[in-house]
Amino acid sequence: RRMKRSGLCQVKLAFPLPGFVLASDEATGYGPVFEEQPVDTIYPEESPEAKITMNCRARANPPATYKWMLNNIEIDLNEKGSHYSLVGGNLVISNPSKNNHVGKYSCLATNMYGTIISREASVQFGYLDLFSSEERSSVRIKEGQGAVLLCAPPPHYPAELSFRWILNEFPTFIPLDKRRFISQLTGNLYISKVDSSDKGNYSCIASSPSISKSVFSNYIPLEPQAERTNRKYPADLRVKFPDTTALVGQNITLECFALGNPVPEIRWKKVDGQLPPNHEVRMAGAQLHLYNVQFEDGGTYKCEAMNSKGKDNHNARVSVEDLRVIQFGLFSELGFGHESVINVCTPAVNTYSTQFVMNIPYCHCTACAPTFEHNPVKRVLAARNGRVVIECRPKAAPKPTFSWNGSPDGSLEILNVTRADEGRYTCFAENDRGKANSTGSLLVTDSTKITLPPSNADVKVGENAWMECAASHDPSLDITFIWSLDSRVIDLHKESQHYERTPNGSSNGALLIKNAQLKHAGRYTCTAQTPVDNITASAHLVVRGPPGAPGGVRMINKTDKSVTLQWSRGADNHSPISKYTIQYRDQFSKDVWKNATTSPADVEGNTETATVVDLFPWTEYEFRVIATNTLGTGDPSSPSPKDKTLDSVPVVAPSGVGGGGGASRELTITWTPVEPQYYYGPNFGYIVAFKPREENQWKRVAVADPQAKRYVHKDSNIRPLTEFQVKVKAFNGKGEGPYSLTAVIYSAQDAPSEAPLIVDCRALSATVATVSWIPLAQSNIDGYQVKYWRNHEDSEGGAQRVMVSSRENHTKLEGLKPDSPYFIEIRGYNSAGFGMASKHYQIHTKKPPPSRAPRIISKKLKGQSVNIAWEHVEPLANESSIDGYRVSTFQHFYFISERKVSISYLPLPADGNYVVEVRAHTEGGDATNYLRLGGFVRNCFLLGEAVMIFWTGLSLLECDGQSQAFMEIHLIWSGSTL
């Protein structure tokens, strides 16, 4: 079969290609044709599914067999311990590892008609590490100024991340508006104008869409500083999109954002045309999004930021290329056992991929007339005395011949350009299919020259330095000055703390270096640049300052109390080193560095070795060295490797030696342990020595625990309260140290050997009981323990205890349960322990008093007394019977017998408040609920003569022991209230 003849190409197949069936009848058999090919795969390192599957499936008759290649080497599926297996045509990688399975995979499908190779597909391992755990420093910004919070994302793969920020707590995300912007390239948060509402703790969230993982940074505190006046600042672009290259059909996002007060407006333009119709402005103007870019969308794009104080702008190019551009060549006609021959277009390779591309929307022609439709000859600018190339690149096939007034090449080069070269230039292109031409123009400008180059400078740290740079240039062109330090371009926005320059457009590009630091020294190059040409001039800046950090600090010799150090000198930073200071920290001081004592005491600046003395034996140290010159003290060196001094015999004895007491027939010896820095060696412990006062021979015992602080010697032959002399010293693997001071202690006394005899135990009420006993005759009694518990309910395990001095032989037990049986026992005790217990003594507490208060029957006031009567209270079955009633005032107390329920002529106070209480009395105690009567009496004086006005306001109330009521009476006299 023949394909239709096309105006683009006509070629014949020389070998089978994927996607084309060669046979006219499937029954006769055909070679493999891919239906599914492997794709690039990113495997998350933390994936719970421990396998990767690479797909491959081909249609073939007879069916195809499959092989796989890794980095163009065939995979041995039968190798012992292999992680690879074949499922159909698919390759399964079990328990994949980054070291063994990263690479490019391709699938081979084979049958009797031939073999086809799939596209290459990569396997990579994706990861997103945690943010650094280092604490983020606070950011303090004056209100009205702009702020940039750095995200500093952690190591990750692949490169694509998305970023969000939270304020104070998750999920409070920072809203994005004209004032706030998050760059999706760096993750940084930009606030154009800070105000008080921005105060808080900020955290950057980095998310990897490829592995579905997000991580949070440590919080960054932002602290706006109040300003008296609301200062204004011009627009200052801090986010600038770079030159960008994209493929046809891709989407592009360009970013621009500015700081300033008022908040700047962002506008977008295409310098060499209109913005494409497929564009969208997002994020309140901070992003320009281009959809499905085409060749014509390429060009120079510009963003402008402006506010009432000024404006800033930025230009960069967008280039559009096509991954799928292919060439065609003719293949010789070849039969495959039958007469099926087809015409196809065949792949080629470009800089973006080595894959065969079959789904192609268009092709370069193999036969077409020249056309300048997509690439006309352009207008070109050139500097006088310079070089210029005017390009001529039409689309044509076969390759055309060119002429520029007779020039045979496709591009026209002009050297040593002069004004006479200005004008219009036409390129003619012709081949066997036709001819075309295109005309452009050449404009010659004045060349740029540096009129005031920078000069070498020499400053001290903290001083300012000027680098001059002025240039002449063609007045029709804009000029820009670019400064670089040791070939690195200086970002004047990011490094504005130390660099300042006159704005672009001026012919003076002088650079001010503020508060110069050592890192600012080097070769400064000024580049004066116009759209046509550029020129450079350089000068050196010397910054003199404190010395750099010494290096390579190490111990070369050590004893028990000294080490010898060696180091290499650091940079003197153009001022000779005068001395070195050595510092140390040990295992006990943690992060505190202290100045070391050295021999000699002063370490001169021309030496690189010194001995540190007065160290502790068997202690782990690390050292650092700091250099000093006339301009100051530099940074310390990195610490030396940790190492221990040699061990030595202890010299410090335990302190606070004492003891005594303890259990019967024991001698308890105590001391304060030695601090670890005084161990002086391994296998540290204590020697405890003791002897009775009258003996000469010391008994020694070793205690191996360095933290021990007591030793108990048990001996059944020790008499109670025997006087002993004791002393303690330290030892380690090197030997024994000195003894402590000798202390005098006494062995333990015996515990009481007799049991007290209880002579009386009685319940006084429902909740109180008393117990008394005969004191023990022994002299070593410190006191008595009275233990009591309710029978059955508490059991002895829940007993309560009261400790009584040896000077007492009785006590009161309170808080008992009413109407309950109790057991009581007593035993003596001393420092040696408790003696024998007495026999158990049983009591039964009284029933509780009535819970109901008396109720008033009558009350009658007579002069300064009151008569009251109440109703008798009848106790319940579980309450004590009433013996009588207690009647009380503030001044008096009366007891009324059981059947009497009134009291007459109860005297009241002459003046002031009064309260009368009536409560029932039983053997179980006084009732808690009672009757209360209250009132108020006041004396008044009128017209200079004492006239006593007696008035009693009575209120009667049954009370629960907490409530009370009073009445205040005011005298109305001649319209006045007293």
Side-chain angles (χ1 to χ4, degrees):
R1 282 179 292 183
R2 299 272 182 184
M3 293 183 66
K4 275 191 175 182
R5 191 174 187 85
S6 160
L8 289 178
C9 57
Q10 182 183 30
V11 296
K12 297 182 180 179
L13 184 66
F15 54 87
L17 285 175
F20 292 92
V21 179
L22 299 181
S24 58
D25 183 356
E26 290 189 4
T28 62
Y30 56 91
V33 178
F34 280 122
E35 294 185 322
E36 189 173 16
Q37 299 187 56
V39 295
D40 293 342
T41 300
I42 296 175
Y43 176 79
E45 291 186 349
E46 302 170 3
S47 173
E49 184 178 5
K51 69 176 182 180
I52 300 172
T53 301
M54 306 290 286
N55 294 330
C56 182
R57 180 164 50 90
R59 178 162 43 89
N61 188 13
T65 59
Y66 299 88
K67 294 181 181 179
W68 282 84
M69 310 284 283
L70 171 57
N71 298 329
N72 296 320
I73 299 174
E74 183 177 347
I75 297 173
D76 185 0
L77 299 172
N78 299 316
E79 182 182 4
K80 184 177 180 180
S82 172
H83 291 253
Y84 298 102
S85 60
L86 202 61
V87 178
N90 298 341
L91 180 69
V92 177
I93 311 172
S94 302
N95 299 315
S97 69
K98 190 173 184 178
N99 292 336
N100 299 319
H101 300 120
V102 167
K104 293 185 177 296
Y105 290 77
S106 55
C107 170
L108 283 73
T110 303
N111 72 358
M112 61 183 295
Y113 292 104
T115 298
I116 56 174
I117 303 176
S118 73
R119 70 168 69 96
E120 281 188 333
S122 67
V123 168
Q124 297 288 343
F125 279 61
Y127 63 92
L128 176 57
D129 290 347
L130 298 176
F131 276 89
S132 169
S133 60
E134 291 184 2
E135 184 177 352
R136 298 289 189 103
S137 299
S138 297
V139 177
R140 294 179 175 85
I141 297 292
K142 292 181 180 179
E143 292 181 8
Q145 291 186 349
V148 181
L149 302 186
L150 303 181
C151 180
H156 58 278
Y157 182 88
E160 294 77 23
L161 292 179
S162 63
F163 299 95
R164 292 177 294 173
W165 283 73
I166 58 174
L167 176 60
N168 294 328
E169 61 184 3
F170 187 88
T172 306
F173 294 103
I174 300 297
L176 303 181
D177 48 32
K178 288 185 177 181
R179 198 170 62 87
R180 288 170 289 204
F181 175 71
I182 298 173
S183 170
Q184 294 304 308
L185 297 178
T186 63
N188 297 341
L189 171 63
Y190 297 82
I191 304 176
S192 62
K193 178 178 75 74
V194 171
D195 60 36
S196 58
S197 66
D198 295 319
K199 179 179 177 62
N201 295 314
Y202 291 75
S203 174
C204 178
I205 304 178
S207 302
S208 173
S210 300
I211 62 173
S212 301
K213 180 180 178 182
S214 297
V215 291
F216 296 70
S217 74
N218 281 348
Y219 278 110
I220 304 173
L222 177 61
E223 301 176 11
Q225 310 293 302
E227 278 276 69
R228 290 184 179 179
T229 58
N230 186 14
R231 298 182 61 184
K232 306 295 185 182
Y233 301 93
D236 179 11
L237 280 170
R238 289 300 184 93
V239 180
K240 303 176 181 180
F241 64 98
D243 288 343
T244 303
T245 299
L247 302 177
V248 169
Q250 284 187 335
N251 300 335
I252 304 174
T253 299
L254 309 180
E255 292 183 346
C256 263
F257 190 77
L259 310 184
N261 182 17
V263 175
E265 294 282 340
I266 305 292
R267 296 178 182 174
W268 292 88
K269 297 179 180 178
K270 190 168 187 285
V271 175
D272 44 5
Q274 298 294 319
L275 285 173
N278 54 339
H279 82 273
E280 179 185 1
V281 177
R282 298 177 175 175
M283 298 292 184
Q287 288 184 343
L288 176 65
H289 194 72
L290 305 179
Y291 295 91
N292 188 26
V293 296
Q294 302 300 314
F295 282 115
E296 56 268 26
D297 296 337
T300 300
Y301 286 76
K302 179 177 184 178
C303 69
E304 292 181 337
M306 63 190 69
N307 64 9
S308 59
K309 295 295 292 182
K311 66 179 180 178
D312 198 1
N313 61 75
H314 168 70
N315 295 356
R317 284 197 59 80
V318 172
S319 302
V320 181
E321 301 179 2
D322 191 356
L323 172 66
R324 301 173 297 178
V325 173
I326 63 173
Q327 284 182 314
F328 294 94
L330 291 176
F331 292 83
S332 59
E333 185 169 318
L334 180 66
F336 285 82
H338 47 74
E339 294 184 352
S340 298
V341 179
I342 60 175
N343 297 330
V344 297
C345 293
T346 61
V349 174
N350 68 11
T351 58
Y352 286 94
S353 174
T354 57
Q355 305 298 322
F356 285 164
V357 183
M358 300 309 301
N359 298 319
I360 302 169
Y362 61 88
C363 302
H364 275 316
C365 59
T366 56
C368 59
T371 174
F372 288 92
E373 179 182 0
H374 296 293
N375 197 17
V377 177
K378 296 178 175 61
R379 177 175 178 265
V380 180
L381 296 176
R384 189 163 51 187
N385 301 321
R387 168 184 173 273
V388 67
V389 175
I390 305 176
E391 293 186 341
C392 181
R393 293 186 177 179
K395 179 185 293 185
K399 181 178 179 180
T401 57
F402 299 94
S403 62
W404 297 83
N405 295 331
S407 171
D409 196 0
S411 297
L412 178 64
E413 181 181 16
I414 305 175
L415 303 177
N416 298 321
V417 175
T418 66
R419 292 284 185 186
D421 296 317
E422 284 188 336
R424 296 171 60 82
Y425 290 81
T426 301
C427 174
F428 297 90
E430 181 177 2
N431 65 9
D432 59 358
R433 294 300 179 102
K435 58 184 177 180
N437 64 76
S438 178
T439 300
S441 62
L442 172 63
L443 177 64
V444 178
T445 63
D446 291 335
S447 58
T448 304
K449 297 178 181 178
I450 289 183
T451 57
L452 180 61
S455 301
N456 294 338
D458 189 323
V459 296
K460 296 178 182 178
V461 167
E463 294 181 342
N464 294 347
W466 276 101
M467 286 286 174
E468 298 289 351
C469 189
S472 62
H473 64 285
D474 191 289
S476 66
L477 301 176
D478 290 334
I479 188 169
T480 300
F481 290 88
I482 301 172
W483 283 92
S484 60
L485 171 57
D486 296 333
S487 301
R488 179 186 65 83
V489 174
I490 298 172
D491 188 323
L492 296 172
H493 291 292
K494 289 184 178 179
E495 302 180 68
S496 59
Q497 181 180 357
H498 291 286
Y499 293 109
E500 185 178 308
R501 187 176 59 75
T502 53
N504 283 339
S506 167
S507 295
N508 185 356
L511 178 69
L512 172 61
I513 305 165
K514 303 178 292 184
N515 186 22
Q517 302 298 305
L518 294 172
K519 64 181 179 180
H520 298 133
R523 182 173 182 265
Y524 282 82
T525 299
C526 170
T527 300
Q529 177 175 294
T530 68
V532 176
D533 65 345
N534 64 75
I535 189 168
T536 64
S538 300
H540 282 85
L541 174 66
V542 173
V543 180
R544 302 180 188 274
V553 181
R554 63 191 182 100
M555 301 182 199
I556 58 175
N557 189 25
K558 64 182 179 180
T559 68
D560 58 339
K561 296 181 181 179
S562 68
V563 298
T564 300
L565 299 177
Q566 187 179 65
W567 62 89
S568 58
R569 62 190 296 113
D572 63 11
N573 293 323
H574 310 289
S575 180
I577 297 172
S578 57
K579 70 170 184 175
Y580 288 102
T581 301
I582 298 176
Q583 295 183 329
Y584 73 90
R585 63 182 175 188
D586 57 35
Q587 64 198 78
F588 308 108
S589 61
K590 303 299 182 186
D591 295 329
V592 178
W593 288 94
K594 302 175 183 178
N595 287 347
T597 302
T598 60
S599 178
D602 296 323
V603 182
E604 300 294 336
N606 58 358
T607 186
E608 295 180 19
T609 183
T611 299
V612 180
V613 297
D614 296 343
L615 300 176
F616 284 91
W618 203 65
T619 300
E620 186 177 73
Y621 287 94
E622 53 185 336
F623 299 89
R624 67 183 187 184
V625 182
I626 304 173
T628 300
N629 63 16
T630 57
L631 297 178
T633 298
D635 293 330
S637 68
S638 297
S640 66
K642 295 179 180 179
D643 200 358
K644 277 187 175 180
T645 49
L646 302 181
D647 53 355
S648 177
V649 175
V651 298
V652 175
S655 61
V657 176
S664 180
R665 311 298 174 178
E666 290 182 354
L667 178 67
T668 301
I669 304 169
T670 61
W671 63 90
T672 301
V674 173
E675 294 293 331
Q677 59 262 42
Y678 299 104
Y679 288 174
Y680 285 11
N683 305 318
F684 184 86
Y686 302 96
I687 301 293
V688 181
F690 55 94
K691 72 180 182 68
R693 182 181 182 86
E694 66 276 4
E695 295 183 8
N696 295 323
Q697 188 67 34
W698 291 84
K699 183 175 180 63
R700 288 166 45 107
V701 176
V703 180
D705 182 4
Q707 296 297 318
K709 51 188 175 183
R710 63 186 288 128
Y711 170 73
V712 178
H713 177 67
K714 299 181 179 182
D715 188 343
S716 59
N717 297 321
I718 295 179
R719 296 190 306 273
L721 298 175
T722 299
E723 181 179 327
F724 278 83
Q725 292 180 331
V726 296
K727 56 187 178 181
V728 184
K729 67 178 176 181
F731 72 90
N732 63 18
K734 275 286 188 178
E736 299 178 3
Y739 271 115
S740 67
L741 296 176
T742 301
V744 175
I745 65 174
Y746 294 87
S747 61
Q749 57 187 343
D750 283 339
S753 58
E754 299 177 6
L757 178 63
I758 297 177
V759 296
D760 185 47
C761 192
R762 67 180 66 183
L764 298 183
S765 68
T767 60
V768 179
T770 62
V771 59
S772 60
W773 59 91
I774 297 176
L776 294 174
Q778 294 174 257
S779 62
N780 62 340
I781 301 300
D782 292 339
Y784 299 92
Q785 180 197 71
V786 181
K787 184 169 70 172
Y788 57 98
W789 65 94
R790 281 197 302 174
N791 190 16
H792 305 306
E793 285 87 349
D794 292 339
S795 75
E796 191 171 355
Q800 300 184 63
R801 293 167 175 81
V802 175
M803 309 304 287
V804 182
S805 168
S806 62
R807 296 187 298 272
E808 303 289 341
N809 70 332
H810 59 86
T811 191
K812 184 181 288 187
L813 308 179
E814 298 179 316
L816 305 178
K817 301 292 185 182
D819 195 18
S820 300
Y822 277 87
F823 282 120
I824 301 173
E825 73 170 28
I826 305 174
R827 64 176 71 199
Y829 71 88
N830 60 21
S831 61
F834 290 96
M836 297 176 59
S838 68
K839 293 182 180 179
H840 292 176
Y841 200 103
Q842 187 170 12
I843 64 170
H844 199 287
T845 54
K846 308 291 186 180
K847 291 182 179 180
S851 58
R852 188 165 58 90
R855 187 170 64 85
I856 193 70
I857 295 176
S858 68
K859 58 184 182 293
K860 187 175 182 182
L861 183 66
K862 286 189 176 183
Q864 275 189 280
S865 64
V866 64
N867 297 339
I868 60 174
W870 58 88
E871 186 181 67
H872 179 67
V873 177
E874 291 294 336
L876 302 176
N878 63 342
E879 296 175 342
S880 295
S881 60
I882 295 176
D883 299 334
Y885 297 91
R886 291 185 184 272
V887 181
S888 61
T889 68
F890 286 144
Q891 293 86 4
H892 304 282
F893 167 78
Y894 305 89
F895 182 75
I896 309 299
S897 63
E898 177 185 0
R899 290 303 173 188
K900 191 173 181 180
V901 291
S902 66
I903 186 170
S904 301
Y905 304 110
L906 181 66
L908 299 176
D911 186 26
N913 298 325
Y914 68 88
V915 175
V916 179
E917 293 180 353
V918 181
R919 68 179 75 207
H921 175 74
T922 70
E923 67 172 359
D926 288 344
T928 56
N929 297 326
Y930 51 87
L931 177 154
R932 172 175 283 182
L933 186 68
F936 180 82
V937 176
R938 171 175 292 176
N939 290 330
C940 299
F941 298 86
L942 186 64
L943 300 176
E945 298 181 7
V947 178
M948 184 174 72
I949 307 299
F950 178 82
W951 190 282
T952 303
L954 295 177
S955 62
L956 196 59
L957 183 64
E958 291 185 1
C959 300
D960 60 1
Q962 297 179 356
S963 303
Q964 61 182 9
F966 297 100
M967 179 184 296
E968 182 173 332
I969 307 300
H970 296 276
L971 178 65
I972 309 297
W973 187 274
S974 299
S976 299
T977 300
L978 301 182

